Amino acid sequence: MTAPLTPPHQPDPHDPWQAPPSGSRLASGGPVPPTAAERRAELVRAAVTALLLTAAGLLLGLLWLWLAPRVPLVSDDTAVYLKDSEGEEAIGADGTFVLLALAFGLVSAVVVFLLRRRGGIPLVVGLALGGLLGSLLAWGVGTWLGPTSDVVAHAKEAGKGVTFDAPLELHAVGAAVLAWPIAGMIVHLLLTWVFGPRDPEPEWEFWGSGEAFGPAPAPGAGAVDGPAAPADSGPGSGAGSGAGSERDSGAGADGGASGAADGWPRRS
């Protein structure tokens, strides 16, 4: 039997979680850190992204104003009432804003990824900040261009028993405003994880590798020989065995004589 060439306890060299070998360091020529000019360029791209997404909030506000359901009110000259007390128009306005914000977050994340596949922390921050500011702008545009918030004046203008629209409002402000930035960050993270470029893995080199450990072994020097060829069983095998036996007994006799000469007792 011959010993295996690869010890069973040797770790897998392709294991990404394997610790670097002892006495090693990162090889030269690895990833180069970004320069000051490159960092400034990343910050500029992040700022431009935030500004463009903030401006896109104007479109979100117009779409919300157009698609959100209206809450009907009616007045009897003494008070203002909901025309349909069981209506869900108020909740529908919040849901419309959230759905539109999620769609804007999805589209903005895809566009930003296609324009800048390498991503980066400043770009993601610009994406999130632009989505947040765009949502706030959309909220302001919808409420400003929608029905007036002075319900009493609107009721007097409409007259008794005439239905008019309530002001456009957001009741779940936190969830509605954060829908765009959260959706944008999640989609951008998934796209970068699946389709983004991969950084090269670092290469390790050993301290003192080279002449400190002597010359490299010749190819095949450490190879283990295979099993010996079986002895020939032909007519000459007996003579070869006899000659080998005679040599072995002669070697034993010589060994005994040298042992006696050295003072060791002769083996009987």
Side-chain angles (χ1 to χ4, degrees):
M1 296 295 292
T2 58
L5 297 179
T6 303
H9 61 276
Q10 182 176 0
D12 185 7
H14 303 287
D15 184 8
W17 301 103
Q18 180 183 353
S22 59
S24 61
R25 62 181 175 86
L26 282 174
S28 57
V32 180
T35 61
E38 293 175 346
R39 292 179 179 176
R40 284 194 298 268
E42 289 183 359
L43 293 177
V44 170
R45 283 190 292 266
V48 171
T49 301
L51 290 176
L52 292 178
L53 294 182
T54 302
L58 177 62
L59 178 60
L60 174 59
L62 294 176
L63 289 176
W64 180 47
L65 177 63
W66 177 39
L67 298 175
R70 299 292 188 269
V71 179
L73 300 177
V74 65
S75 172
D76 60 356
D77 286 343
T78 58
V80 177
Y81 305 95
L82 289 171
K83 184 177 182 180
D84 184 6
S85 59
E86 297 181 357
E88 298 179 354
E89 289 84 2
I91 301 176
D94 286 24
T96 302
F97 189 96
V98 170
L99 292 178
L100 289 174
L102 292 176
F104 270 68
L106 172 63
V107 173
S108 60
V110 173
V111 172
V112 168
F113 176 76
L114 293 178
L115 294 179
R116 182 64 178 172
R117 287 181 175 268
R118 292 200 61 85
I121 296 179
L123 190 64
V124 176
V125 172
L127 177 64
L129 182 60
L132 179 61
L133 295 178
S135 297
L136 293 175
L137 178 61
W139 179 26
V141 168
T143 54
W144 181 53
L145 297 180
T148 178
S149 58
D150 191 351
V151 178
V152 176
H154 198 182
K156 291 180 179 180
E157 180 183 354
K160 181 179 179 179
V162 178
T163 303
F164 60 96
D165 294 333
L168 190 59
E169 295 178 349
L170 279 179
H171 298 86
V173 178
V177 170
L178 293 178
W180 183 349
I182 291 178
M185 286 190 299
I186 292 177
V187 174
H188 188 273
L189 176 63
L190 292 176
L191 291 175
T192 306
W193 176 52
V194 177
F195 302 106
R198 299 293 185 266
D199 293 332
E201 296 183 359
E203 298 181 358
W204 298 90
E205 64 181 10
F206 291 92
W207 291 96
S209 59
E211 298 181 356
F213 295 98
V224 179
D225 294 337
D232 210 1
S233 58
S237 60
S241 303
S245 301
E246 290 177 0
R247 286 195 301 270
D248 292 343
S249 23
D254 294 340
S258 61
D262 293 339
W264 290 91
R266 182 187 300 271
R267 182 189 299 177
S268 55

